[in-house]
Amino acid sequence: MSETHAAHPAPDPAHPAGANSAPPAFEERGSGRSPETPGAADLRARAADLDTADDLAKLRTRFTLPEDLVYLDGNSLGALPTGVAERMAEVVTQEWGENLIRSWSDGTWWTAPERIGDRIAPLIGAAPGQTVVGDSTSVNLFKALVGAARLAGEGRTDLLVDAATFPTDGYIAASAARMTGLNVVPVDPDRAAEAFGPSTAVVLLNHVDYRTGRLHDLPGLTAAARAAGAITVWDLCHSAGALPVGLDEHAVDLAVGCTYKYLNGGPGSPAYLYIAARHQQDFDSPLPGWNGHADPFAMTPGFAPAEGALRGRVGTPDILSMLALEAALDVWEGVTVEAVRAKSLALTDFFLECVAAYVPQGVLEPVTPAAHAERGSQVSLRTENASAVMAELIARGVVGDFRAPDVLRFGFTPLYVGFADAERAARTLSHVLGHIYE
């Protein structure tokens, strides 16, 4: 869901060397700082104090990260948890290599989708038995949207979709609408509740906007949709594992999300589908695969859905990726989402403070809301030549990503990102932009 970049060892940003020292598009400018603005030494000292006081700082040892790299792209691909490689070697050599097909019946393979779903459930505020892991986010979204339209029943005509949604969500919504006879109606999430009415069948919204990092009002919008008699489907790709979601608390109907971002499941790791318990008996999946059958091995010509969220299963699960994800979730042992959220807000606040101190006003435009209630776990900054800026940041060992046409994205994963990382990223950004402060 994002561009990939090759990371390179980082030279000291205070002493850039060679042709890669700065893109030619940027010029040296005056500091534009007032005398009371903190300097680099002050902010480095603050960062060190904050890291020392951080109860989550020790969790960085649960991840394998290159030395001298600031990794701020966990909102695209999470870092590698240390236990995954060993677990994968065991799965490949023992469970597959020696046990072969017996691992389906004698081992842990068959129950993986629901078992791992129950491990994700606390991170999205769901009770057990409502979350099943498998397939991609796009496939799960298709299941959820068509299933939601069928739950909504007849007489409703509209599928409301976040107008700024990730493109694939829009493509899937259009296909689901064609299948169910609904009309796709784009809505601004900030004004979506005004569009809910008797014609609204389904509402598809992103919890966090992937470009801007804006956090939308899941409790309020879900309540408004419910009052209008509509079924909600939430995309949690940029919020699960970064902040509390509260699916059960806020009576969300259906939700989907990926596991390779803040859940650190690995590239292409399987996604998940949440089906609220109250809807499970009536949830009619448009992809009735044999794995979602009440009796998969009966091989009957007619489909009888399994009980509960298991009816969200389709085909044979991708066991290698599934079990890698399960091992990755071990990093959450003893960690609460609330503690992660508190650090996320502190990190993004500090990063924005450092950017403001190091880069004169007018060079960068923050597009992520300042208000905590409206901010996810990323900071997006708009600037000219953003693609070149990000390429140079990566060359200097600060890995974020770029969104066309002019947005720099920096994802803050509190499990392994610290305050010194935030300060260094802002300082390196100032060097790349030609504002060199010491």
Side-chain angles (χ1 to χ4, degrees), residues 207 216-226 234 245-246 249-252:
H207 196 191
H216 295 304
D217 181 10
L218 182 148
L221 290 168
T222 300
R226 184 170 61 252
W234 282 91
V245 177
E249 177 186 358
H250 303 302
V252 168

Side-chain angles (χ1 to χ4, degrees), residues 210-248:
Y210 79 100
R211 286 190 188 88
T212 67
R214 184 181 186 86
L215 173 65
H216 295 304
D217 181 10
L218 182 148
L221 290 168
T222 300
R226 184 170 61 252
I231 302 294
T232 52
V233 179
W234 282 91
D235 183 330
L236 308 178
C237 284
H238 287 269
S239 59
L243 53 90
V245 177
L247 295 182
D248 286 353

